[in-house]
Amino acid sequence: MTRIAAMASRRAAASIAATERAATLPNPEPLAGNLGRSIIEVLAGVRDIDNLARWLSDEVYRHLLARTQYESRARRARRLVIRRPNVRHLGTRVQQLTPGIAECVVLLDMGTRVRAVALRLEWQSDRWRATSFHVL
């Protein structure tokens, strides 16, 4: 067997293994919907960030913690009381780029506006974890 044929054979085997692995991974859509709503609640100050630590990468956790502290200081400066946001889940779109990586958009109706939470989920340590998020 030539070297090129051996490389092609290994690539084909890896592709088949990745396809089989993708079929066994759980659907990330329910987690994305819950995580999007929970991130909005953390930023509003009504949910503790530690509740989400299991589903966030370390970098995302630190980013969300810093943003939560900023939002908290802004509320104190304006003397606003913490109110639970009235959030209605409008839908979730998930696109799996490769096995183990999913990009999701969660649409949330906040009453006065509709917000989108974009998430990148990666399969790590036997669970989906958010490795990036943006609130639009």
Side-chain angles (χ1 to χ4, degrees), residues 18-68:
T19 303
E20 290 173 355
R21 189 176 127 209
T24 62
L25 295 179
N27 184 8
E29 188 171 343
L31 174 65
N34 289 332
L35 204 53
R37 183 178 313 128
S38 297
I39 286 173
I40 294 294
E41 290 175 353
V42 166
L43 292 174
V46 296
R47 180 184 291 266
D48 188 21
I49 189 173
D50 291 333
N51 294 343
L52 304 181
R54 178 180 181 174
W55 294 282
L56 303 176
S57 68
D58 292 339
E59 181 181 332
V60 171
Y61 181 86
R62 284 191 298 271
H63 175 72
L64 185 59
L65 180 62
R67 191 162 169 188
T68 301

Side-chain angles (χ1 to χ4, degrees), residues 2 16-17 20 36 44 57 61 67 73 77 87 97-98 112 118 121 123 130:
T2 67
I16 291 169
E20 290 173 355
S57 68
Y61 181 86
R67 191 162 169 188
R73 283 193 303 267
V87 179
L97 305 173
T98 60
T112 57
L121 301 176
W123 186 254

Side-chain angles (χ1 to χ4, degrees), residues 79-91:
R79 297 186 178 164
L80 298 174
V81 294
I82 296 175
R83 292 192 180 140
R84 178 168 294 281
N86 185 17
V87 179
R88 190 170 63 106
H89 183 251
L90 295 177

